[in-house]
Amino acid sequence: MSVDVEQRIRDRAYAIWLEEGCPHGRDADHWGQAEREVLAEAVVVPDHAPPDHARVIAVVKAPRKTTNARPRSVVKLAEAEAAPAEPPKARKPRIRKAVTA
């Protein structure tokens, strides 16, 4: 089996897995179904179309949201808009310790 066909089977199996709601433990079923579909598709390809240009389904995963927290830049921006500009507090001067010899 060529690498191109195997990649198409892998992509189709992943698409089937997503369509079924990402069930656990059905990888062999999805692979078999994808293999049957891709190989049947390769047989049905008309003679005038080269087999390298067979239809390929691209699957793009959406990025996962990992937290409910807002990004820091949004928080800082919201705080800056909400609070009026106040002058910075005066710092207390440091006291130097006496040097003993």
Side-chain angles (χ1 to χ4, degrees):
M1 187 179 315
S2 72
V3 176
D4 182 48
V5 173
E6 186 174 343
Q7 182 61 44
R8 288 178 25 214
I9 293 170
R10 184 179 294 117
D11 292 341
R12 182 60 189 137
Y14 182 71
I16 293 168
W17 178 70
L18 287 177
E19 289 169 3
E20 290 188 6
C22 307
H24 182 69
R26 304 247 349 261
D27 53 335
D29 297 334
H30 298 148
W31 184 270
Q33 181 181 347
E35 192 172 35
R36 286 188 300 275
E37 290 177 13
V38 169
L39 293 178
E41 185 178 275
V43 172
V44 177
V45 173
D47 293 334
H48 64 276
D52 293 341
H53 298 303
R55 189 179 74 175
V56 176
I57 299 173
V59 179
V60 179
K61 291 176 68 174
R64 288 179 46 189
K65 187 175 181 182
T66 58
T67 180
N68 289 332
R70 295 188 308 184
R72 290 183 182 188
S73 59
V74 174
V75 172
K76 287 181 181 179
L77 181 63
E79 289 174 356
E81 291 175 354
E86 296 180 8
K89 291 184 178 181
R91 293 183 66 183
K92 193 173 175 182
R94 291 181 137 189
I95 300 174
R96 290 189 170 188
K97 294 183 179 181
V99 178
T100 57

